[in-house]
Structures are given as C-alpha cells and as structure tokens.
Amino acid sequence: MFWFLLLFPLLIYPWGFNPYYTLPKTAYLQIFVLAAWLFILLKQKYRPSNLSHRNFKLEALIAGFIGLAVLSTIFSVNPQLSLYGAEKRYEGLLTIFCYASLFLFSYRFLNEEKIKRILNGMVSISIVVSVYGILQHFLIDFLPRNSGKLNYDRSYAFFDNPNFFGSYLVLMIMLATTFYLTVNSKKFLVFNWTAASLAFIALLYSGTRSGWVGVFCGILFLSFFVVLRRKALWKKWITLLASFALIVVVVNTTENGSYEQRVSAFISDSYQVISNQSTGHEGSSRLFIWQKSLTLIPDDVWLGTGPDTLGEVFPASEEEKQLYLGNPKMIVDKVHNEYLHIAVTMGIPALILYLSILFIVVRRAFQAAKKAENEHRIFLFGLLSAIFGYLAQAFFNISVVTVAPFFWSLLGMTLAHSIYLLGKNKEKQEDENEVLTKTA
C-alpha cells in the first residue's frame, strides 16, 4: 500500500501518440489489487472470523455494493462496456472492485504507524506534483502534451484534466494542513506549510471551482472543530490562512483578475439556480446535464443503466446539445455529480449503500474523536476534513481512476485509525476499572 499510494500520481506512460494517463493508472491499479489479493489469499491474511459485529456490518455493506455493481453490469445496456468502463474513463466493474479492495486493505491491514507514514509520503509526493502543475500553467512541460492541450494554461499535471487534478489537490491540501496543525518540529511545520501552499497555488492554476469549494469546506470544518477551541493553534492557523489569502491576491492580480471572474460566475450561477431563474447553462451546463440525467432514474431505479454507461443513454437531442453544450455530437459520459452518477448508472440501492459506507466511517471517526486525546483528535478531524472536502467537490465533479483510489484508501485509513483509538480507549477504561475494583 505504501509504495502504491506514494507513487500512484507518478505512474504514467508519457510516450506514444497523444499520451493520456488514465489508462496506465487503471492498469497499475488493477495489477496491484490482483497481486494484493493473491498474496492475501495465499498467506490467509484475511480472516472473517476475526471481525467484530460492527466491522462485519461494514464489510457486508461493501460486499453488497460490489454485488449490486455485478448485477448492474449483468443487466447493463452494454455489459462489456460496464465491465471495463468507457474509453478514457475505465470506471467499470473491475475498477469499482479495486476501489472497494483498497478500502478493505487500508482499514484491515494498516496500523497506526503505517497510516501516518503513508499519508506523510503522499503529502511529500504532492510537492513534486504541485510544482509540475504550476510550471505547466506557464506552458513549461518536461513531458509530451496531448494534442488537445498544446496551448492549454489550466494545470492538470499527471491527471489528464484540470478538474481531476483539482480533486486530488483538495485531498493533499487538507492532509498537509492536518500535519501542519499536529507537528511541533519547526522543520516539519515549514515542510507541511510549503506543501499546502504549493498545492493551493496549483489548485488556483487548475481553475477547478469545485476544488475551491472543497478546500473552503475543509477549512471551515477544521476552523470549527479544531482551531476555534484551541488558542494554541490560532497563530498557526492565521499564518496559513493569511498565506492562502496572499496567494489568491497575487495569483489573481498576475492573471488579470481571471480567477475573481470565475468565482463571480460561480456565485451568479448559484444565485440563478436558487432563485429559480436558471437557464441550464449554469456551472458549465452542469444543471442541464443533471436535469437530463435525472429523467433516466425512474426507468432503471434498481440497478441503473450499468456502470460507466451514461454516454450510451444520455437522452439529450443534438439540438439540445448544440444549445447547452455547444457541440451536437458531444458524448456526455459523466453526470458531473458523483452521487447522481451512481444513482443513474448503478441504481438507487447502490447509492444508498455508498452513502451508508460513508456514514459509518464518519460516525466511527466522530465517536473516536470524542474519546481521543488532543493530538489524536486533531489528526482524526484532519482526516475528516479531507473526506468532507472531497465529498463537497464531488457534488460538482466526477469520480476518476486517477484520484478515487486516494479517497477510498483515505476512507479505510480513517476507519482504521478510529477503530484503533476506540480500542485503545476501551483498554484504558478497563485498566482503570480494574484498579478501582482492586482499591475497593
């Protein structure tokens, strides 16, 4: 897990005609998961008999989610497409199984020390990725570009698309911020401040508004649950937020106010939707895509149309695509809302199971944080801030192979850390009760 997650952002194949990095990352992901399962089965490391009732309940949900994905694939409008995934997306049944496997690996086989080591490594690698993304904005590339992005100034690094890059950066910014708040060494303090700042600059240059929303939500969460109640962190927090504010001002000024215009457009679009004055063009025509996609749910409410099959069934006419998307032949293969996409392609029951898995992880994390000591509590809330930041941006963005493995692994690590803290607290309570009994 350590080397896979550490190197995954860099696992690309930049040669050949029109390099596109999603396919190589999909291959690396599936090969890793297959090798991991073979090792686990041969060594008999995965033993359901060791599960507590609570853990078994979660793994039953994971099994149910995979089972629904299998049924959705079997009854798909295009079973072969649902098995492997659409071209350049590859989020078919095999990839969904890999996501669930990473979740299981992370929370079943990673201890406290390994979790922090992996997350520290991910933040360290993000510095390299962020710097490359920043340079890319200025058209300084060390690798060949896809022909569609020869003069493209939105940063996408090794993720094929700036929106994908933005969702990755949300996770890295919140993880770097978490370590920034928990470390005491000046050297590591500066290191994590640097990692968070560089990722924030890269996020601005990616122009990913959903990523900006994700970071804003993560910062709000940390401000309320961590910083507000701890005066010792106020200086650190003000320093970081002041740095982010200065970065915004400098970047926006040097780019002639273009980022301010994107924020204004986002606010304007949101107001039009809330005030029922929408035209369908809001959010780069996301509202139009959501409305059209919603009409598909009643026809396939139980199993959806099949994983990764939206491009096969999207109901808009060529005239509508011309009006709202500017291209009558455009293939809309993602809803641009992760939750709605699951409902459309895999069915409402699959969405309920997915949300149930998220709910259990978050609930256990809050339970553990409530009983944890100060540093462990801050760290756990930091992991939650990364999760909430990703979930917030996912409302406007899509799940992709280049980023989703980090999120599913983070979910597993958060659960593992929570279980460790709850177990540690239980042992401490039992020891205290034993002492009281002997004293009595």
Side-chain angles (χ1 to χ4, degrees):
M1 283 295 290
F2 175 78
W3 288 110
F4 173 76
L5 289 174
L6 202 69
L7 298 177
F8 191 66
L10 308 178
L11 295 178
I12 60 173
Y13 188 81
W15 300 280
F17 177 71
N18 271 354
Y20 199 79
Y21 302 145
T22 298
L23 179 58
K25 287 183 186 292
T26 305
Y28 288 128
L29 171 66
Q30 294 179 357
I31 290 170
F32 169 77
V33 170
L34 174 62
W37 273 119
L38 288 174
F39 175 79
I40 289 166
L41 294 173
L42 289 173
K43 295 291 184 178
Q44 296 184 340
K45 285 182 170 291
Y46 205 97
R47 297 178 182 177
S49 59
N50 295 337
L51 292 174
S52 67
H53 173 70
R54 287 184 175 182
N55 292 346
F56 180 77
K57 181 180 178 181
L58 179 63
E59 299 202 15
L61 289 176
I62 290 288
F65 183 72
I66 296 173
L68 286 174
V70 171
L71 289 174
S72 180
T73 299
I74 293 172
F75 295 98
S76 168
V77 297
N78 187 335
Q80 184 175 353
L81 182 69
S82 288
L83 179 63
Y84 299 106
E87 185 181 3
K88 295 188 176 181
R89 301 301 191 194
Y90 310 110
E91 275 206 317
L93 175 61
L94 295 178
T95 299
I96 292 169
F97 175 77
C98 290
Y99 293 164
S101 297
L102 289 178
F103 175 84
L104 294 174
F105 297 161
S106 299
Y107 103 86
R108 287 278 277 161
F109 303 125
L110 296 181
N111 58 31
E112 191 73 4
E113 182 182 344
K114 288 180 180 177
I115 288 172
K116 290 193 175 180
R117 186 165 167 252
I118 288 173
L119 294 177
N120 265 309
M122 286 165 57
V123 170
S124 300
I125 290 296
S126 76
I127 293 178
V128 177
V129 178
S130 298
V131 169
Y132 189 85
I134 292 168
L135 293 175
Q136 197 175 53
H137 170 74
F138 299 99
L139 303 182
I140 301 174
D141 267 316
F142 304 106
L143 299 171
R145 283 192 174 216
N146 185 283
S147 61
K149 291 185 171 64
L150 293 179
N151 296 304
Y152 199 62
D153 67 348
R154 287 182 64 186
S155 299
Y156 59 92
F158 312 116
F159 297 87
D160 295 319
N161 184 292
N163 292 336
F164 308 166
F165 187 32
S167 58
Y168 164 81
L169 291 171
V170 171
L171 292 173
M172 295 306 110
I173 290 170
M174 299 321 303
L175 290 177
T177 301
T178 298
F179 285 116
Y180 172 79
L181 291 174
T182 53
V183 298
N184 294 316
S185 166
K186 186 176 181 181
K187 179 175 69 174
F188 289 110
L189 189 73
V190 172
F191 177 83
N192 286 290
W193 173 86
T194 302
S197 299
L198 287 173
F200 189 73
I201 296 171
L203 179 62
L204 290 178
Y205 282 142
S206 76
T208 309
R209 291 178 293 184
S210 60
W212 302 349
V213 171
V215 170
F216 179 74
C217 291
I219 287 174
L220 276 184
F221 179 85
L222 281 180
S223 298
F224 182 76
F225 284 96
V226 175
V227 180
L228 192 62
R229 307 174 187 185
R230 295 170 177 83
K231 289 186 177 180
L233 295 177
W234 287 7
K235 184 178 178 181
K236 274 186 179 181
W237 196 235
I238 291 171
T239 300
L240 183 68
L241 294 187
S243 301
F244 284 177
L246 181 61
I247 288 169
V248 169
V249 171
V250 171
V251 169
N252 186 59
T253 302
T254 55
E255 297 295 318
N256 300 316
S258 59
Y259 296 101
E260 182 182 352
Q261 293 170 14
R262 285 185 69 80
V263 172
S264 298
F266 177 81
I267 295 172
S268 175
D269 288 350
S270 301
Y271 174 77
Q272 286 183 304
V273 173
I274 293 171
S275 61
N276 200 28
Q277 301 177 39
S278 60
T279 63
H281 293 281
E282 288 78 16
S284 300
S285 298
R286 276 170 172 75
L287 186 61
F288 163 71
I289 296 173
W290 295 351
Q291 290 171 337
K292 280 293 178 180
S293 299
L294 276 169
T295 64
L296 296 169
I297 294 178
D299 296 330
D300 299 284
V301 68
W302 299 110
L303 294 173
T305 60
D308 230 6
T309 56
L310 184 69
E312 300 279 299
V313 297
F314 189 71
S317 65
E318 290 190 356
E319 291 75 14
E320 289 174 316
K321 288 182 179 180
Q322 177 62 50
L323 177 62
Y324 293 102
L325 305 175
N327 183 352
K329 301 296 182 181
M330 180 177 288
I331 297 175
V332 179
D333 57 5
K334 289 285 187 179
V335 178
H336 293 280
N337 178 302
E338 194 168 324
Y339 316 104
L340 181 56
H341 187 82
I342 293 174
V344 171
T345 59
M346 291 175 60
I348 295 296
L351 175 62
I352 292 172
L353 284 184
Y354 176 67
L355 295 177
S356 298
I357 293 165
L358 295 176
F359 175 76
I360 289 176
V361 172
V362 170
R363 182 169 175 265
R364 294 298 294 276
F366 271 105
Q367 289 174 340
K370 188 177 180 180
K371 298 178 180 180
E373 297 176 359
N374 193 45
E375 184 179 333
H376 287 294
R377 183 178 298 177
I378 295 173
F379 183 71
L380 200 48
F381 278 139
L383 297 183
L384 282 171
S385 74
I387 290 173
F388 285 134
Y390 180 90
L391 293 177
Q393 67 82 36
F395 193 85
F396 308 95
N397 211 339
I398 66 176
S399 170
V400 287
V401 182
T402 52
V403 182
F406 295 111
F407 176 67
W408 283 86
S409 299
L410 180 63
L411 283 178
M413 286 187 271
T414 302
L415 181 62
H417 187 58
S418 302
I419 292 172
Y420 166 77
L421 292 178
L422 288 169
K424 186 177 178 182
N425 184 75
K426 185 178 179 181
E427 290 176 4
K428 181 180 178 182
Q429 191 66 46
E430 289 174 351
D431 290 342
E432 289 176 353
N433 290 339
E434 186 178 345
V435 171
L436 289 172
T437 302
K438 289 179 179 180
T439 303

